[in-house]
Amino acid sequence: MKTILRNLFYTLKRFQLASLLNLMGLSTAFAAFIIIFMKVSYERNFDTCYPEPDRIVWLNYAEKDSRQLMFSPRGPIEYLLKQLPGIECGSIYGPAWRSQSLYTDPNNKRCFNARPFAVHPDFAHTIGLEFVEGNAEGMQQTESAIVSESYARKLFPDGHALGSYLYLDDSNWLTPDATKYRICGIFRDLPENCQFQHDLFVPIGKTQIDDWGSRNFYAIFRMKPGVSVEEINRQIAATDAAQRTWHGENSHPVFTAIPIRDLYYNYSDWGYLKSGSRSAITLLTSIAFLIILIAAINLINFSTALAPMRMRSINTQKVLGSSNSELRWGLTAESVCMVFISWLLSLGIVEILIHLHWLTFLDFTPSLLTYRTYVLLTGLIAIAVGLIAGLYPAWYMTSFPPALVLKGNYALSGKGKRLRQVLIGFQYIVSFTLMVTAGFIVLQNRYMRQRELGFKKDLLIVAQLSGAASTPERLALFETRLKAFAEVEGVAYSDWALGTEEGYSSYAIKYRNEEHGFFLIHVSPDFCQVMEMEVLEGEDFQPGDSAQTLPIKCIATESFHKVTQLPVGEVINFTPWSNVQMQVRGYVSDVLFTSLKTGQNSSRYPYLFCTNPCYTNLPLGTAYIRIKAGSSIDEALLHIRQTLDACFPEYPAEVNFFDELYGRLYQQETKQQHIVTLFSLLAVLISLVGVFGLVIFEAEYRRKEIGVRKVYGATTSQILWMFGRSYLAMSVASSVIAAPIAWYGVRQWQQSFAEKVPLSPWVFLAVCLLIGCITLLTITVQNYRAATANPVDSLKAE
């Protein structure tokens, strides 16, 4: 071991720059590998935190074999809970549609926003919540709640959360009889990678308990031990739940139990559940191993490039009695030691990045301790990499006759060149493929975020107000004060924070014996004008359209007109199951308030904007404020915040640009873009580190050749081109080979989007040019010194 360490430190000292680059490449590669596999572990173990997670299933009400998670009516859920002999317990899971205003001190009303999820009392047992204080038995009472441990500390820093009250400022339609919630239990925080990581659960009231038509709820069941998902589905099919449940004439949904662990990867919903992508995880895993492979190739190239300089020492050791096996073991051990040192350095790099909070874009909380299994696994992989990367060079360096020591020309031999070319070519192929993939991910995300939405989104500010505060009197005062500021062009309201959800309240009309679905949005009469929607046919809302009179006045999008052919002004029933009548006053261009991801609603899904409150009592709790062009944005934002504080002093103000809110729909894709781009650039960087290290050795080997060429009149640019052309040709050839691989990979990735950017050839050409330019720059910087050196000094050294 002493000899191994002596040789290792001699090599590090003798070739300091190349050794430093090699250590940097290896440690960076292992750090990237650890970070990626912590993320992969987070994804792969999604929804495994519950006790016996294989016994938990999700109830879906959708077309057979559909991958879309749909809400169910409450009536059949309650019915199935009583009818299925294979379930131990179960619960409604009612998502909070909007934020609700709560406060903790009745003597000092300072509200905060929360989203209470309405559940059955058995919810805690169904998913296996662990309580640190209290329990879920109190959930039998209407005005009760269970909260997470961290939420309890946040709301009650003095530690007296249990038994305290959360007061409702506005009514919750899921718990209509409750005016406050008493905290009866505090449960241990669930991990980040689960569907139920929420802070506040309340018992559901009797809302829609006998309703077999309105789809507003999810449901979860815990199966009895030994009962399979297939058996539960047979029991569901044996009931008449699907037949009794109302559905459209052209649809045939069925109730299906889905394993909880299948939701994250295999199904999509309206945005209330978390979802992941197997292809993204496969891509990340591939990137992790490719980065390690690139670093290992650098190590192999580094070791083989040292062959001419170490063969004298190797043959001397042979003369002194060392066998080939002993020498090979020693050289391999040197490689393992170098890799192990790099792995230890990588742990430091990861810990520093975690401490500096530079890994937040990964959308989870990394920790070397939490993911210690994968950290140790990476250590084993590091040792394996050291063995694999060391065996081949060790065998080669001990297999040449002593005569080659005097010639010292292995580095320039055909075998040596071909080996390095193949390895570097592979690095270029990987780099090109990853760079092209990252490029199209950037273009796809930019296309989705910058796509025309059917209205003018620039200079549009969104203020989300409290429901209880959104009374006509307060809204009128708020609007009057806003418009007193000359930079405010207009103010409008809606009942949804548009652009923040993957779906909204959906209804259907029946016209000419066909049913047509749409999203219903309640708005103020000046909504279309403030949003600057183009009226294509008919007319805009009039101020009197907000009166509670029939028929309901609506404005629909162009796609609604195309599928229904409903003329402007015709009066029809609002829904097939009601006698409330509606009238379309006009049509506007199609709008997009959801994302373009497959499984969600595309830009062609119809919207109906309604100003008449006859069909709902939901407040218009979202304000849209149009700022005049050329205005000072900072001054406008300041005025809006001051007006909110003055008109709604007891409520938190949430003000955002529409662009910012809409961008959150693509938050997962944006983070994926950052991850892939970062690690792709890292792979390219590590590849170039290898090229840089090899160029150092090649320049050393070819000093005599450079001197001779300069004596015979070669210019500096010719010598630099002599070094660079082979690497440039290699990068271009590798790009040609990698292009179809990259095209196929990007094409597969794009399948998750409803609208895709074209696979333009300029991206492939740009990446090829970029890699070629970086390669030439790297080689030029390194070889400029050798190319401008005095040839006499080079020949003397030889």
Side-chain angles (χ1 to χ4, degrees):
M1 179 58 70
K2 184 184 295 185
T3 303
I4 293 171
L5 293 176
R6 185 184 67 241
N7 291 338
L8 174 62
F9 287 116
Y10 171 77
T11 303
L12 295 176
K13 183 178 180 181
R14 170 82 186 277
F15 309 102
Q16 292 181 4
L17 180 57
S19 298
L20 178 62
L21 292 174
N22 202 31
L23 281 172
M24 286 177 55
L26 284 167
S27 58
T28 304
F30 285 124
F33 191 89
I34 292 171
I35 292 169
I36 290 175
F37 263 81
M38 285 196 289
K39 174 67 172 176
V40 170
S41 173
Y42 168 89
E43 298 280 338
R44 288 174 59 87
N45 292 304
F46 210 93
D47 279 329
T48 62
C49 61
Y50 322 111
E52 300 180 276
D54 292 337
R55 290 174 53 196
I56 302 177
V57 294
W58 188 275
L59 184 67
N60 195 29
Y61 183 55
E63 299 291 331
K64 188 177 181 181
D65 300 325
S66 171
R67 293 293 177 176
Q68 179 74 34
L69 291 175
M70 305 296 291
F71 292 109
S72 301
R74 184 173 178 182
I77 295 175
E78 302 283 357
Y79 176 72
L80 289 173
L81 281 170
K82 298 174 182 177
Q83 293 294 318
L84 300 181
I87 64 172
E88 182 176 287
C89 57
S91 174
I92 288 271
Y93 182 66
W97 303 108
R98 299 170 178 83
S99 295
Q100 188 171 0
S101 295
L102 303 173
Y103 56 96
T104 58
D105 186 355
N107 299 317
N108 181 22
K109 186 179 176 181
R110 298 298 299 177
C111 293
F112 59 92
N113 292 328
R115 284 199 169 192
F117 280 65
V119 296
H120 279 147
D122 277 343
F123 172 76
H125 177 56
T126 302
I127 68 169
L129 291 180
E130 179 185 352
F131 285 86
V132 295
E133 287 187 72
N135 52 56
E137 293 179 5
M139 292 284 281
Q140 301 288 344
Q141 305 299 319
T142 302
E143 295 187 330
S144 57
I146 55 176
V147 300
S148 68
E149 188 176 10
S150 61
Y151 200 58
R153 287 195 300 267
K154 177 182 177 181
L155 297 181
F156 301 94
D158 58 3
H160 297 98
L162 190 67
S164 297
Y165 286 90
L166 302 178
Y167 297 91
L168 282 76
D169 181 64
D170 51 351
S171 62
N172 184 341
W173 77 281
L174 293 171
T175 59
D177 299 327
T179 59
K180 60 183 179 296
Y181 302 124
R182 179 180 178 273
I183 298 175
C184 63
I186 301 173
F187 59 88
R188 194 176 304 281
D189 286 33
L190 291 168
E192 294 174 301
N193 54 342
C194 77
Q195 296 292 358
F196 305 108
Q197 197 204 23
H198 302 294
D199 293 316
L200 175 60
F201 296 99
V202 298
I204 190 168
K206 295 184 178 181
T207 301
Q208 299 182 348
I209 192 168
D210 295 318
D211 191 326
W212 286 67
S214 302
R215 303 186 192 182
N216 291 308
F217 303 97
Y218 290 129
I220 50 173
F221 300 151
R222 175 172 284 273
M223 301 181 296
K224 291 180 178 178
V227 177
S228 66
V229 176
E230 292 76 16
E231 175 60 26
I232 287 295
N233 280 320
R234 282 193 291 269
Q235 293 179 11
I236 293 174
T239 69
D240 59 348
Q243 291 74 23
R244 292 176 56 185
T245 304
W246 185 91
H247 54 81
E249 295 178 357
N250 300 322
S251 62
H252 302 88
V254 295
F255 288 101
T256 308
I258 303 167
I260 189 73
R261 294 189 62 181
D262 286 356
L263 298 186
Y264 187 67
Y265 285 119
N266 299 330
Y267 293 85
S268 59
D269 83 319
W270 299 100
Y272 296 100
L273 299 177
K274 299 176 183 179
S275 61
S277 169
R278 290 190 187 276
S279 60
I281 295 303
T282 301
L283 177 60
L284 279 179
T285 305
S286 302
I287 290 174
F289 280 105
L290 288 173
I291 288 176
I292 291 292
L293 186 56
I294 290 173
I297 288 173
N298 285 348
L299 181 59
I300 293 173
N301 279 334
F302 175 78
S303 300
T304 53
L306 283 175
M309 303 177 193
R310 301 198 63 182
M311 284 171 66
R312 184 183 299 276
S313 172
I314 290 170
N315 280 275
T316 301
Q317 293 179 59
K318 283 184 180 182
V319 172
L320 295 175
S322 298
S323 65
N324 279 344
S325 59
E326 290 174 337
L327 291 170
R328 288 167 182 170
W329 161 246
L331 292 169
T332 303
E334 286 181 35
S335 174
V336 172
C337 288
M338 177 172 284
V339 172
F340 189 74
I341 292 171
S342 301
W343 178 72
L344 293 176
L345 291 173
S346 72
L347 299 183
I349 293 172
V350 173
E351 188 57 40
I352 291 172
L353 293 176
I354 293 173
H355 181 74
L356 295 176
H357 304 289
W358 286 0
L359 300 177
T360 54
F361 65 92
L362 294 173
D363 203 23
F364 83 112
T365 304
S367 167
L368 291 176
L369 183 61
T370 302
Y371 297 95
R372 56 188 175 275
T373 302
Y374 284 89
V375 173
L376 294 175
L377 176 62
T378 307
L380 296 177
I381 292 174
I383 294 174
V385 167
L387 286 171
I388 296 170
L391 285 172
Y392 180 76
W395 181 83
Y396 243 160
M397 282 191 285
T398 56
S399 62
F400 295 101
L404 199 59
V405 177
L406 300 176
K407 295 180 180 179
N409 63 351
Y410 167 71
L412 305 179
S413 68
K415 278 188 176 182
K417 284 185 176 181
R418 283 193 296 271
L419 174 63
R420 291 198 304 276
Q421 287 173 351
V422 169
L423 295 177
I424 294 175
F426 177 80
Q427 290 179 317
Y428 276 129
I429 290 173
V430 171
S431 300
F432 180 89
T433 303
L434 293 179
M435 289 287 288
V436 168
T437 302
F440 278 110
I441 289 177
V442 171
L443 291 176
Q444 179 71 36
N445 288 344
R446 181 182 300 172
Y447 168 77
M448 293 188 298
R449 295 171 71 99
Q450 296 181 355
R451 186 190 183 282
E452 289 295 326
L453 303 181
F455 58 92
K456 188 177 178 181
K457 61 181 179 179
D458 299 328
L459 300 176
L460 184 63
I461 296 176
V462 182
Q464 299 186 52
L465 313 174
S466 168
S470 302
T471 61
E473 296 76 19
R474 279 201 175 188
L475 294 182
L477 175 63
F478 176 61
E479 185 172 347
T480 300
R481 292 195 176 185
L482 279 180
K483 289 184 176 179
F485 186 61
E487 310 295 347
V488 174
E489 187 173 301
V491 183
Y493 304 93
S494 78
D495 60 341
W496 283 93
L498 297 171
T500 64
E501 308 284 351
E502 292 290 8
Y504 306 94
S505 297
S506 58
Y507 293 84
I509 66 163
K510 188 172 183 179
Y511 184 68
R512 295 178 180 176
N513 295 320
E514 291 188 18
E515 289 185 2
H516 306 281
F518 56 88
F519 287 139
L520 178 67
I521 310 295
H522 286 84
V523 299
S524 58
D526 49 359
F527 179 80
C528 296
Q529 178 183 351
V530 171
M531 300 295 282
E532 297 192 13
M533 296 179 180
E534 181 184 359
V535 178
L536 303 176
E537 185 179 348
E539 60 181 7
D540 200 349
F541 289 119
Q542 301 301 316
D545 287 341
S546 59
Q548 295 189 22
T549 57
L550 295 177
I552 296 174
K553 304 298 191 298
C554 298
I555 287 179
T557 53
E558 183 181 5
S559 57
F560 185 83
H561 188 214
K562 288 180 179 178
V563 297
T564 63
Q565 295 300 311
L566 179 66
V568 170
E570 184 169 339
V571 177
I572 62 171
N573 283 342
F574 177 64
T575 63
W577 59 86
S578 74
N579 293 322
V580 176
Q581 293 184 318
M582 63 166 278
Q583 181 186 48
V584 175
R585 296 188 64 99
Y587 289 102
V588 296
S589 300
D590 282 331
V591 295
L592 182 64
F593 292 120
T594 58
S595 74
L596 294 174
K597 292 178 280 189
T598 299
Q600 311 300 346
N601 294 281
S602 72
S603 60
R604 299 301 176 185
Y605 199 85
Y607 285 79
L608 253 68
F609 303 102
C610 171
T611 60
N612 191 300
C614 284
Y615 202 74
T616 181
N617 58 358
L618 292 176
L620 301 181
T622 304
Y624 302 87
I625 305 162
R626 173 72 63 187
I627 305 301
K628 292 181 181 178
S631 303
S632 170
I633 300 299
D634 292 337
E635 291 182 11
L637 282 172
L638 178 61
H639 177 70
I640 292 170
R641 293 185 187 279
Q642 290 174 342
T643 305
L644 281 168
D645 291 339
C647 295
F648 311 102
E650 65 271 45
Y651 300 100
E654 187 174 349
V655 181
N656 303 96
F657 283 99
F658 183 89
D659 272 344
E660 180 183 350
L661 286 177
Y662 186 69
R664 294 175 187 174
L665 291 179
Y666 298 108
Q667 190 173 32
Q668 184 175 355
E669 285 68 32
T670 301
K671 289 178 178 178
Q672 180 182 331
Q673 168 192 320
H674 293 159
I675 293 171
V676 174
T677 303
L678 173 64
F679 289 113
S680 296
L681 291 173
L682 187 61
V684 175
L685 179 62
I686 295 173
S687 297
L688 292 174
V689 164
V691 171
F692 192 80
L694 284 180
V695 169
I696 294 174
F697 287 110
E698 189 170 354
E700 181 68 23
Y701 297 148
R702 302 179 69 175
R703 287 178 63 189
K704 183 176 181 180
E705 179 186 349
I706 294 171
V708 172
R709 288 179 179 272
K710 293 201 71 173
V711 168
Y712 282 95
T715 63
T716 299
S717 59
Q718 288 174 331
I719 293 174
L720 292 175
W721 176 245
M722 175 189 72
F723 277 103
R725 63 187 177 189
S726 60
Y727 288 98
L728 181 61
M730 195 184 309
S731 69
V732 172
S734 300
S735 299
V736 172
I737 296 172
I741 301 173
W743 181 90
Y744 177 79
V746 172
R747 200 66 180 170
Q748 291 298 113
W749 175 78
Q750 282 188 326
Q751 297 306 312
S752 60
F753 299 98
E755 296 183 19
K756 310 170 182 62
V757 293
L759 298 184
S760 303
W762 71 263
V763 177
F764 296 86
L765 293 174
V767 172
C768 179
L769 182 62
L770 177 63
I771 292 177
C773 290
I774 294 176
T775 299
L776 283 179
L777 179 63
T778 302
I779 293 171
T780 300
V781 169
Q782 173 55 33
N783 286 326
Y784 183 79
R785 181 178 173 183
T788 56
N790 190 332
V792 176
D793 295 334
S794 299
L795 294 174
K796 278 183 179 180
E798 291 294 329

